[in-house]
Amino acid sequence: MALRLMLASYRIASHLRISVSHRAFSSVVLKDLKYADSHEWVKIEGNKATVGITDHAQEHLGDVVYVELPDVGRSVSQGESFGAVESVKATSDINSPISGKVLQVNKDLSESPALVNSSPYEEGWIIKVELSDAGEVKKLMESDKYSKFCEEEDAKH
Amino acid sequence: MRSPRILEVWRLGTVNYLKFLKIQDKLVSERKAHQIPDTLLSLEHPPTYTLGKRRTDHNLLIPQSQLTKIGAELHYTQRGGDITFHGPHQAILYPIISLRSIGFGARNYVETLERSMIEFASMYGVKARPGNKCETGVWVGDRKIGAIGVRISSGITCHGLAFNIDPDLNYFEHIVPCGIADKEVTSLRRETDALLPSEEVIHKQLITCLAKAFSYDDVLWKEDPSVILDTQR
């Protein structure tokens, strides 16, 4: 029984990769996602994608008090803003890592914007998109590259 | 060896809010296209109330129709934060800077803006502090002396901070300032017995505190504001 639990937890841990930096905190980066240099993540499942902001992003934002969501049906373009989050009296644009059509928005964020902080990769997802160009995913970073990108950015100050 | 970080500063005097928004839009596009370096606008507005992205107009306590009677305008913006007042004798700084080049997120940026104002206040013996959670801004005790409301788009900042030198605080009676109901608004004039120098000197001091807080190597004071005020170009 204990062995099975141990193996199960090892399997879960192998899906995660914790990036350790010199700084006081380390941010979580998930292996099976792709990342934009503006700190959004995307999970591709066939021709559908789920988009959110990363753990690194939510740490650097502070407590999110408001999320501006796009309308369902509107189109999004890679690298362009589709919404915003507000934290510490700052509105920060959220850019889409991929192009396509918005199928669904996370309505829970209207009542509970803090989900972006507490669960950036799961309950804090922001939009679901029907991809218009699967090839665009090549322009995004894999988890290893994104972890390194975050470390380099944090080292700038 | 990294290249020196330069801040270009434009001191514009009193600028109408809509005109400022046009100037800001132009500068933000230029900064995003790397056509200009990090830029700071230092100015004042005529009596103006502004709202942030959340459009919390329930915090305006007089009907909009009354605004012209008190000589004020109201504008909606895309910045963070709640309702605030801008007017003569309030020093406003609008940094249009790249946060990506210093690896800053919203939180670091806003905390550094707070530190700039706190450092400035200390020059006059005023002990200011950053706000508690959900109370971003700069406070002297329970009285708010400096406000912040910013927007970050593709890593470039706009809007900024407002520090009360000696504005007419009665204008704040018509709003729930920053959405915080039970706290007062104050000014440098109220908090210090020190002799205040000219506003030109005061603005320069505040700018210098900001430049130091953001570790700029050099500040370039731009002498001819008409270059930037002519938005027809």
Side-chain angles (χ1 to χ4, degrees):
Chain A
M1 170 75 169
L3 183 63
R4 247 189 291 145
L5 275 175
M6 201 181 82
L7 287 175
S9 67
Y10 179 73
R11 259 200 303 279
I12 291 165
S14 72
H15 286 298
L16 298 176
R17 197 198 118 148
I18 312 291
S19 103
V20 178
S21 63
H22 305 296
R23 317 207 70 81
F25 53 77
S26 57
S27 59
V28 171
V29 178
L30 300 186
K31 257 197 186 147
D32 57 341
L33 306 179
K34 300 278 186 283
Y35 299 87
D37 63 5
S38 45
H39 301 287
E40 291 88 10
W41 58 264
V42 61
K43 182 174 192 172
I44 311 285
E45 288 162 305
N47 78 329
K48 296 210 172 32
T50 308
V51 174
I53 67 167
T54 66
D55 188 39
H56 183 274
Q58 70 77 18
E59 267 166 352
H60 283 66
L61 279 172
D63 294 343
V64 174
V65 299
Y66 174 68
V67 182
E68 184 186 64
L69 296 165
D71 290 327
V72 170
R74 94 155 237 198
S75 55
V76 293
S77 303
Q78 189 177 54
E80 305 216 338
S81 166
F82 68 83
V85 289
E86 181 175 340
S87 62
V88 296
K89 305 283 175 86
T91 50
S92 301
D93 282 3
I94 321 170
N95 296 330
S96 184
I98 36 76
S99 308
K101 192 171 83 166
V102 177
L103 295 172
Q104 214 184 328
V105 301
N106 186 353
K107 295 205 181 95
D108 289 345
L109 295 180
S110 304
E111 284 295 311
S112 312
L115 287 172
V116 170
N117 296 113
S118 58
S119 182
Y121 297 112
E122 273 143 44
E123 290 165 274
W125 67 271
I126 303 176
I127 58 172
K128 291 193 199 278
V129 171
E130 183 179 52
L131 293 179
S132 58
D133 180 0
E136 276 180 340
V137 176
K138 290 197 208 80
K139 296 187 193 151
L140 302 173
M141 288 184 265
E142 300 282 344
S143 60
D144 291 4
K145 199 164 170 216
Y146 178 65
S147 292
K148 194 152 187 292
F149 176 75
C150 289
E151 281 175 19
E152 285 166 5
E153 238 192 26
D154 287 347
K156 282 179 185 167
H157 62 275
Chain B
M1 167 95 158
R2 64 165 179 84
S3 45
R5 293 190 55 240
I6 313 280
L7 180 67
E8 261 187 15
V9 177
W10 297 86
R11 287 178 299 158
L12 303 179
T14 302
V15 182
N16 168 271
Y17 201 79
L18 277 178
K19 188 174 179 88
F20 146 68
L21 285 178
K22 283 202 187 101
I23 295 170
Q24 179 175 256
D25 280 348
K26 185 162 173 284
L27 291 175
V28 167
S29 302
E30 289 175 358
R31 186 68 191 91
K32 281 182 184 173
H34 308 283
Q35 288 165 352
I36 56 172
D38 284 353
T39 298
L40 177 71
L41 303 181
S42 163
L43 49 79
E44 291 188 353
H45 292 305
T48 310
Y49 293 102
T50 67
L51 286 157
K53 192 186 260 286
R54 281 178 288 138
R55 303 173 75 92
T56 48
D57 41 25
H58 53 273
N59 286 326
L60 178 67
L61 303 175
I62 58 170
Q64 285 190 34
S65 49
Q66 298 271 21
L67 289 170
T68 31
K69 288 207 182 92
I70 60 167
E73 291 180 5
L74 173 72
H75 292 284
Y76 290 83
T77 76
Q78 294 297 309
R79 62 161 172 77
D82 210 299
I83 193 167
T84 197
F85 170 76
H86 298 306
H89 313 298
Q90 183 194 69
I92 295 181
L93 297 187
Y94 291 129
I96 296 160
I97 69 175
S98 164
L99 294 183
R100 285 185 193 170
S101 51
I102 47 174
F104 268 21
R107 198 157 54 123
N108 280 339
Y109 177 52
V110 163
E111 285 174 3
T112 310
L113 291 179
E114 286 175 335
R115 273 207 310 277
S116 310
M117 289 193 272
I118 291 167
E119 175 72 25
F120 167 69
S122 73
M123 293 173 72
Y124 293 90
V126 176
K127 278 205 182 80
R129 59 170 183 86
N132 303 324
K133 226 175 192 205
C134 304
E135 288 188 345
T136 294
V138 172
W139 300 76
V140 183
D142 267 347
R143 304 174 297 285
K144 195 165 190 181
I145 198 170
I148 291 174
V150 302
R151 179 180 178 196
I152 302 164
S153 165
S154 301
I156 306 295
T157 64
C158 60
H159 295 278
L161 64 86
F163 191 96
N164 292 337
I165 308 297
D166 188 14
D168 180 351
L169 295 178
N170 288 322
Y171 277 103
F172 286 96
E173 307 276 313
H174 301 302
I175 57 173
V176 181
C178 310
I180 303 171
D182 53 352
K183 301 267 164 75
E184 273 177 59
V185 177
T186 187
S187 64
L188 188 64
R189 172 73 289 153
R190 285 223 177 151
E191 297 294 332
T192 183
D193 291 326
L195 188 66
L196 297 184
S198 71
E199 293 212 350
E200 193 184 321
V201 170
I202 290 178
H203 290 190
K204 235 181 167 167
Q205 289 169 339
L206 181 58
I207 292 165
T208 305
C209 288
L210 184 145
K212 192 167 141 216
F214 282 94
S215 308
Y216 283 102
D217 298 299
D218 240 318
V219 174
L220 267 172
W221 303 90
K222 306 296 281 187
E223 290 307 313
D224 184 9
S226 66
V227 171
I228 235 183
L229 288 169
D230 177 11
T231 47
Q232 256 68 60
R233 279 190 315 126

